[in-house]
Amino acid sequence: MNIRTILLATTIVMGATTIANAQTLNWARAGDSLTLDPHAQNEGPTSALQHQISEPLIIRDMTGKIVPALATEWGPSETDPNVWWFKLREGVKFHNGAEFDSEDVVFSFNRAMSPDSNFKELLASVVEVRANGKYGFEIVTNGPNPIMPSNLTNIFIMDKDWAEANNAVKVQDVEGGEDTFASRNANGTGPYILVSREPDEKTVLRINENYWGKDEFPMEIKEIVYTPIQNQATRVAALLSGEVDFIQDVPVQDLERVAATDGLKVITAPQNRVIFFGLNQGDADLATDNIEGKNPLADIRVRQAINMAIDREAIKKVVMRGQSIPAGVIMPPFVNGWTAELDKVPETDIAKAKSLMEEAGYGDGFSIRLNCPNNRYINDEAICQAAVGMLAKIGIDVQLEALPKAQHFPLIGGLKTDFYMLGWGVPTYDSEYIFNFLVHTKGDKYGSWNGTRFSDPELDKKIQSLASETNLEKRNQTIAEIWDVVQKEILYIPIHHQVLNWGMSDKVETIVSPDDTPKFKYFKLNK
Amino acid sequence: MIAFAIRRIFQSIIVLLVVGLVAFAMFNFVGDPVDSMLGQERTDADVERVRTQLGLDKPFPVQYYRFLEGAIQGNFGISYRQGRPVSEMIAERLPATLELAFVSAFLAIIFGVTLGIFTAIYKKGWAANIIMTLSLIGVSLPTFLIGILLIYLFAVELSWLPSFGRGEVVDLGWWRTGFLTKSGLLAIILPAITLGLYQMTLIMRLVRSEMLEVLRQDYIRFARARGLKDRSIYFRHALKNTLVPVITVTGMQLGSIIAFAIITETVFQWPGVGLLFINSIRFVDIPVMAAYLMLISLMFVTINFIVDMLYFAIDPRVRLEKRGDEK
């Protein structure tokens, strides 16, 4: 046996193993799904895994467009404006073979609206859900809800009988100290079936041969092995060494290295997340500044000056290595209400900013504390450090306090910060979502993330009217009016839209979804 | 003896209780779990409700009391992050950490003792000098850096070993082991070296200095005068006398191997209790953090207790001192 035969033999053996594994996708990202219970955690990685196994009535495809899943058609009722009707897909089976029908949908919606569900806010306007025959389903709201479908793209449907048989009727209830069967097992209708799962370790899925859309979608990946790898150097190393084929979060400093490696590529797209600073402009005096008895941020000229002093292009170039899109509004580009004009990046003008500070009576500047997370957004702490330098140029002496997210976010919720960084994604793709949480006066039901102390009863009324305004033209008009106020008052200082970088082997063919949620039924494999 | 043991157990329990109290006092500074639990779409009313339900609005001694109440009945609560019983999660993860610690300790002892003897015998040779210099690196480089370097060399450049995870595991019912598959054995090599390197250099240096000390003793000189073979002198006469302090130190180090596994486990995505603890800190998963800290302190307390008892059995001076105390 000469060397050539040995080589040939090895090639054949290796070739055989590659073919056997060719349809397996090894997928890694920083975090694991927290639970398999479809209604317990409304959080990126958790929903991303669930989307492979279970399905909502309607989903967003990889471009972000709403497309049918378990419902084939839907629309507002012609007789009653408070009702949305859905026609359900017939002949769909759950992974255990049980038939899918309207009973499962009613059950799942009631489950998703229960107090322990993390999705109940998306369904807050729902009064009743009811079946209309075996394949009809209706949602009754407390007033007309024109954007109902966009709230449903993460409301997964469970099998009622399975949940009842396995004591999983209730959403897992951590406070009550309960552990449900559904947190560790899954029975969906989705394109992939759960084979095994060890939390934080490994989850294996295999293709659902009976999937209703088997012929409609590529479905070229036959097996998915999902491993969380939280250390970013290890995650990149695993991709470089070929142990994983697809990672969702390539650190910006490693982008070039991955892209330059043979057999690997990086694809990039704007993410559904905008990064900005919030300013306490409502309080009479600030706790974290050095001005007594007055709140410098309450003066619109100071806010204008800050807005002018932040050099977004410099942040993009130096901090983000080109991986960001400078923003002029706190709304991702695909959201209803977005216009290029709103998103026009404010010009950096230090001289003008300085004169504004002087006009406002702060020619000598002031000092203030900036609260910033250090493990939530891409390069979050570095962005804040850059801002400190930029604001120093107009005399604002910023003390940066960077904390882990678990300590940072309670400061915003508890109104314990006057100047803070926040990022916001819009799952409904509609401005109303932003207004409800960030612009409306802070109260029990609305404004829970509004740390600006801004309050305008007129504006609140407008925001609340959006929920039931069925005349879309009029509704969009109101949205534009509210944005006008937000922009004119400089409620927030927008910085940039985050950019997603997915790193993968050349064999994987996909586009980046703005929600950072791969739906593998759309993926193709190059042979 | 029994009185001494009872007193030591009593002291151990007090240590455990104090560790728990300090831990609960610190949880307030780690952050607020409610935000992570409820997601972006929570209202202020939700936050208040959950905080009350979890008892997070109570002062920390009350929270600690509630934890102890459950712990005494064997109930460590439900993880905020995964919604599963904490005891189940820790039991599931412990085998990975113990296997890793066992292999690291094993490598550290084998290589540490061998290299220690070697460098003591050939103390002027070039090989010994190189080993001693390299061992300085082992002591001074931080664990995560060693881990990353090993990954880049053996996983990315050479593609010999996996860069993360535990490989295929075999479930024996009560213990999931990686020792029975090829991928599992390959996967443990890099993390075990990373974790054991510090201990290895420590043992090596200890053995070396003890050995040099012993080799200067008169009885070694007499042994040589008797014409005994080098091998017999080194391994039968010298090594035995070297090992007493080595065993003590190694025993004590076993606890720290398990505790230090946190960093190694994070770098290699090794699914053990250390990784679980790190994830829990990020989420402020108080039940898991509390159970982990109690487990680790229980381990240290137990090891100390055993060592004390062994001393008591071996060293008559301890007994005498105790009697002196009682008078």
Side-chain angles (χ1 to χ4, degrees), chain A residues 184-202:
Chain A
R184 302 212 67 188
N185 300 276
N187 177 34
T189 58
Y192 293 92
I193 301 174
L194 180 75
V195 176
S196 68
R197 171 167 164 83
E198 287 100 41
D200 289 339
E201 198 174 336
K202 192 164 91 173

Side-chain angles (χ1 to χ4, degrees), chain A residues 28 30 32-35 40-42 115-116 118-122 172-180 183-184 197-202 227-231 233-234 236-241 243-244 254 257 273 375-376 404-407 409-413 423-427 433 437 442-449, chain B residues 28-33 35-51 53-54 75 77-85 88-89 92-93 96 144 148 151-152 155-157 159 161-169 176 263 265-272 275-276 278-279 281-285 287:
Chain A
D32 195 11
S33 151
L34 297 174
T35 170
Q41 284 284 349
N42 184 5
D116 288 311
N118 235 334
F119 292 86
K120 59 178 191 297
E121 291 310 318
L122 288 171
Q172 76 178 19
D173 162 19
V174 183
E175 308 97 71
E178 277 172 62
D179 172 31
T180 74
S183 65
R184 302 212 67 188
R197 171 167 164 83
E198 287 100 41
D200 289 339
E201 198 174 336
K202 192 164 91 173
T227 340
I229 307 180
Q230 63 196 56
N231 184 302
T234 314
V236 172
L239 182 68
L240 293 174
S241 68
E243 287 163 87
V244 300
D254 289 321
R257 163 122 209 232
R273 172 157 286 134
N375 62 352
R376 179 63 186 91
K405 60 180 179 185
Q407 294 166 47
F409 291 127
L411 296 177
I412 301 175
W424 199 250
V426 186
Y433 185 88
F437 290 99
K442 192 172 161 75
D444 255 7
K445 276 185 80 177
Y446 292 93
S448 56
W449 285 96
Chain B
N28 282 331
F29 300 103
V30 180
D32 188 347
D35 263 315
S36 328
M37 293 173 71
L38 292 177
Q40 187 171 274
E41 281 123 11
R42 88 282 191 281
T43 60
D44 281 6
D46 281 337
V47 175
E48 279 315 307
R49 179 181 61 94
V50 172
R51 196 167 278 146
Q53 277 178 354
L54 294 178
N75 173 13
I78 297 277
S79 155
Y80 295 166
R81 192 168 68 95
Q82 292 189 341
R84 296 172 46 211
E88 188 184 306
M89 286 165 71
E92 204 176 85
R93 300 298 203 90
F144 69 88
I148 296 289
I151 288 175
Y152 268 86
V156 177
E157 294 302 327
S159 306
L161 297 168
S163 58
F164 70 93
R166 229 186 140 194
E168 293 288 319
V169 289
R176 283 169 56 236
I263 297 164
E265 288 184 4
T266 318
V267 171
F268 289 94
Q269 193 67 28
W270 188 264
L275 189 66
L276 180 68
I278 287 284
N279 283 327
I281 292 177
R282 293 208 180 139
F283 200 93
V284 200
D285 194 344

Side-chain angles (χ1 to χ4, degrees), chain A residues 140-159:
Chain A
V140 187
T141 48
N142 54 12
N145 186 342
I147 59 154
M148 194 68 203
S150 59
N151 285 343
L152 306 181
T153 55
N154 279 326
I155 311 288
F156 295 98
I157 305 302
M158 290 174 89
D159 181 7

Side-chain angles (χ1 to χ4, degrees), chain B residues 169-183:
Chain B
V169 289
V170 177
D171 197 343
L172 302 177
W174 49 277
W175 187 278
R176 283 169 56 236
T177 178
F179 286 158
L180 297 178
T181 61
K182 193 183 157 214
S183 65

